[in-house]
Amino acid sequence: MDYRKEYQRWLDKNIMIDELQGMNTGEIEECFYKELTFGTGGIRAVMGPGPNKLNVYTIRKNTEGYARYIEDYGNKEAGVIIAYDNRLHSKEFALEAAKVLASHDIKVYLFDELRPTPELSFAVRCLKCTGGIVITASHNPPEYNGYKIYDHHGCQCVPRDTDVIIDYIKKVEDLLSIEIDESKVENIIYIGKEIDEVYYKRLLEVQERPELKKNIKIVYTPLHGTGNVAVRTMLKRLEYDVHVVKEQCTPDPNFSQTESPNPENKKSFTKSIALAKQIDADLIIATDPDCDRLGVVVKHHNSYEFLTGNQTGAILLEYLLATKKEKGTLPSNGIVFNTIVTSDLGTKVCDKYGVEVESTLTGFKYIGDKIREYKGQKTFLFGYEESYGYMIKDFTRDKDGVQSSILIAECCNYYKTLNKTLIDVLNDIYDEYGYVSDIQESKTLPGIEGQKKMEQIVNQYRYGDIKEIDDRKVVAKEDYKLSIRTDQSGETPLTLPKSNVIKLFLEDGSWIVVRPSGNEPKIKYYKNIWRKE
């Protein structure tokens, strides 16, 4: 694409003119040198003018391709449901997507206000839609927004579907010439509280010990996002003593009252920890802007301790499986799903209870898809990933911050009756299985040069002869793009879908994964390092 010509074309059509006229040469190239790519995780990108940024026109193009896909493979009458978060232009983008679909005579259900992403997943299943769209950039900075597509199971589309959808999107020739039939816009159906209440009723099923008297004090923050109503509603109905960080409850698209909208970042808890100290809270929980992730901080003695996603997952598994075993409800065919970058600590907990664990590629869509695959054969018990995503009941098919909030509150409440904090429970797990350090590091590499650098880094791990890491011998390598495992016995094929990920296994059971993000200009490193005795 000749970025100069494309830039001039937008100028000539007087599109986003104020932004265009203020751009320098480098910015023009970045915005116009290529078209925004719909990947296996949808789109997550900086908003702005041009085909390489997220705007009304790129939203229209991707939805036009999706509409054509539905015409050939979906059910137009079953319809598509659309939800959106609190970000800049989210509501506008959601309406534009709805208009494009409606112009193709596809029934559209559009939430009347912002809603959690997991509620969209639930609503697809509840209304028996042919698919769903969410406008969100999850926990990214304010300048980002995103676009995700869900299948009729309420699961974010996996490659067998997205590969086809992408082909349809690519065939949309001109994103500036997509026609909207305004006469069909009136057919968009707005939905709201009627779906909320069905979702809230199902959320009650997450409880394992509903009979327990509530004896903990909770601080909650939605970090300006969509969890504000759903999480607070459920915790109130369950009679927990909940205190909110009021200034972070407004749906502020600039996230002005938090140092970070990402509950994986300790800085996102600054205000909530201050409130917890004032009221002597037992538990602090934070959901990210689209409320599919949950971060946890726990009071332990006189301090507040931050839990990683892997630690929270192991604690929830211990509570969930121990409770089911005690009550005689632990099925013999139960299964837990995690990902190839999830710590082995939770797997060891599952081994203790005789529960099968299967690892998928990174991305909760693969967990949702496995639930579909095994339906009727195995009983789903829990799904989680290191990036603070958990699902307890499969009435959604995506990670669910509302479900997670309910279970972590019950977990904390139960162990308090045993005079234990969640840190005590974690230490018990470490004492039984050994201490593992789970570390995630990332490096942001934006733009054209950043993309080249990420490719160079991954290729160093893919083709380089790495014999040792952290004084530990490398004993095997799994390359999920080449679908090959290499160890001392030679090469064996891998059966997981292809993905640009490298995993190095070390001699003591530790491992390291290198993975370019599918949604952000970052390369990520995941480390599962067992402590040397």
Side-chain angles (χ1 to χ4, degrees), residues 33-52:
Y33 84 100
K34 69 180 182 70
E35 293 195 339
L36 200 61
T37 303
F38 189 101
T40 56
I43 298 170
R44 199 178 297 176
V46 173
M47 290 174 281
N52 193 36

Side-chain angles (χ1 to χ4, degrees), residues 287-312:
T287 51
D288 67 338
D290 70 326
C291 196
D292 59 358
R293 287 177 169 86
L294 176 80
V296 179
V297 171
V298 183
K299 185 184 180 188
H300 183 63
H301 302 312
N302 295 317
S303 64
Y304 284 90
E305 304 292 333
F306 182 85
L307 294 178
T308 69
N310 284 316
Q311 290 170 335
T312 300

Side-chain angles (χ1 to χ4, degrees), residues 66-290:
Y66 180 44
R68 295 178 188 181
Y69 166 83
I70 290 173
E71 288 177 328
D72 287 347
Y73 291 95
N75 183 337
K76 293 170 67 173
E77 184 56 34
V80 172
I81 184 166
I82 302 175
Y84 57 92
D85 68 7
N86 61 301
R87 289 177 178 273
L88 286 169
H89 305 301
S90 282
K91 187 174 183 178
E92 177 187 4
F93 291 165
L95 183 57
E96 286 299 323
K99 288 179 179 180
V100 172
L101 292 170
S103 295
H104 284 263
D105 294 314
I106 296 169
K107 183 186 290 186
V108 180
Y109 299 96
L110 178 61
F111 274 108
D112 55 3
E113 293 179 335
L114 67 168
R115 289 298 193 284
T117 289
E119 186 172 351
L120 179 282
S121 173
F122 171 78
V124 170
R125 299 174 58 77
C126 177
L127 295 175
K128 296 181 171 56
C129 292
T130 198
I133 295 172
V134 177
I135 307 296
T136 180
S138 189
H139 54 275
N140 280 60
E143 63 269 23
Y144 281 80
N145 214 324
Y147 180 98
K148 298 194 293 187
I149 294 176
Y150 286 70
D151 68 15
H152 67 283
H153 296 288
C155 178
Q156 191 178 342
C157 289
V158 295
R160 66 170 176 272
D161 297 318
T162 53
D163 288 350
V164 181
I165 294 170
I166 289 167
D167 285 340
Y168 278 88
I169 293 170
K170 287 178 179 178
K171 291 174 183 175
V172 179
E173 293 182 356
D174 183 9
L175 76 171
L176 301 184
S177 301
I178 295 167
E179 295 183 2
I180 302 294
D181 187 343
E182 294 291 345
S183 69
K184 296 180 179 178
V185 170
E186 63 184 24
N187 295 322
I188 297 171
I189 302 165
Y190 285 86
I191 58 172
K193 288 183 169 53
E194 67 276 18
I195 300 298
D196 297 341
E197 287 302 323
V198 182
Y199 178 50
Y200 295 161
K201 184 176 180 180
R202 295 299 304 271
L203 284 164
L204 295 173
E205 299 172 13
V206 172
Q207 300 175 95
E208 287 290 324
R209 300 177 185 268
E211 71 282 358
L212 274 182
K213 182 180 179 181
K214 310 305 188 291
N215 67 340
I216 60 170
K217 195 176 290 186
I218 300 171
V219 167
Y220 169 63
T221 173
L223 298 176
H224 293 297
T226 61
N228 183 44
V229 174
V231 174
R232 291 174 67 180
T233 296
M234 290 308 302
L235 293 180
K236 182 179 179 180
R237 290 186 182 183
L238 295 173
E239 300 182 344
Y240 285 101
D241 183 6
V242 180
H243 303 254
V244 297
V245 184
K246 292 180 181 179
E247 60 267 43
Q248 294 177 341
C249 289
T250 58
D252 178 2
N254 295 312
F255 306 105
S256 57
Q257 293 299 315
T258 180
E259 294 181 56
S260 169
N262 184 357
E264 297 178 59
N265 188 335
K266 292 181 181 180
K267 290 181 180 179
S268 68
F269 285 91
T270 300
K271 289 183 184 294
S272 54
I273 289 175
L275 175 59
K277 288 178 178 178
Q278 289 177 22
I279 66 170
D280 192 29
D282 301 281
L283 177 69
I284 306 171
I285 55 177
T287 51
D288 67 338
D290 70 326

Side-chain angles (χ1 to χ4, degrees), residues 239-390:
E239 300 182 344
Y240 285 101
D241 183 6
V242 180
H243 303 254
V244 297
V245 184
K246 292 180 181 179
E247 60 267 43
Q248 294 177 341
C249 289
T250 58
D252 178 2
N254 295 312
F255 306 105
S256 57
Q257 293 299 315
T258 180
E259 294 181 56
S260 169
N262 184 357
E264 297 178 59
N265 188 335
K266 292 181 181 180
K267 290 181 180 179
S268 68
F269 285 91
T270 300
K271 289 183 184 294
S272 54
I273 289 175
L275 175 59
K277 288 178 178 178
Q278 289 177 22
I279 66 170
D280 192 29
D282 301 281
L283 177 69
I284 306 171
I285 55 177
T287 51
D288 67 338
D290 70 326
C291 196
D292 59 358
R293 287 177 169 86
L294 176 80
V296 179
V297 171
V298 183
K299 185 184 180 188
H300 183 63
H301 302 312
N302 295 317
S303 64
Y304 284 90
E305 304 292 333
F306 182 85
L307 294 178
T308 69
N310 284 316
Q311 290 170 335
T312 300
I315 291 167
L316 289 176
L317 275 169
E318 173 61 35
Y319 173 68
L320 193 67
L321 301 183
T323 301
K324 287 183 179 295
K325 182 177 181 180
E326 175 190 324
K327 293 193 166 190
T329 58
L330 186 64
S332 59
N333 67 340
I335 190 166
V336 168
F337 297 106
N338 63 17
T339 74
I340 59 172
V341 299
T342 305
S343 165
D344 293 335
L345 192 63
T347 300
K348 290 184 178 293
V349 173
C350 291
D351 289 344
K352 171 185 175 181
Y353 291 97
V355 172
E356 181 183 355
V357 178
E358 184 169 338
S359 297
T360 71
L361 288 177
T362 306
F364 223 89
K365 58 183 173 288
Y366 294 111
I367 292 176
D369 195 51
K370 279 292 180 182
I371 295 170
R372 175 201 58 78
E373 180 183 332
Y374 287 142
K375 200 69 176 174
Q377 304 172 46
K378 298 180 181 181
T379 302
F380 171 76
L381 294 175
F382 191 69
Y384 76 115
E385 56 188 6
E386 48 67 46
S387 57
Y388 294 61
Y390 317 94

Side-chain angles (χ1 to χ4, degrees), residues 492-504:
T492 52
L494 297 173
T495 58
L496 289 176
K498 290 182 181 296
S499 184
N500 191 21
V501 181
I502 307 290
K503 187 170 186 177
L504 301 177

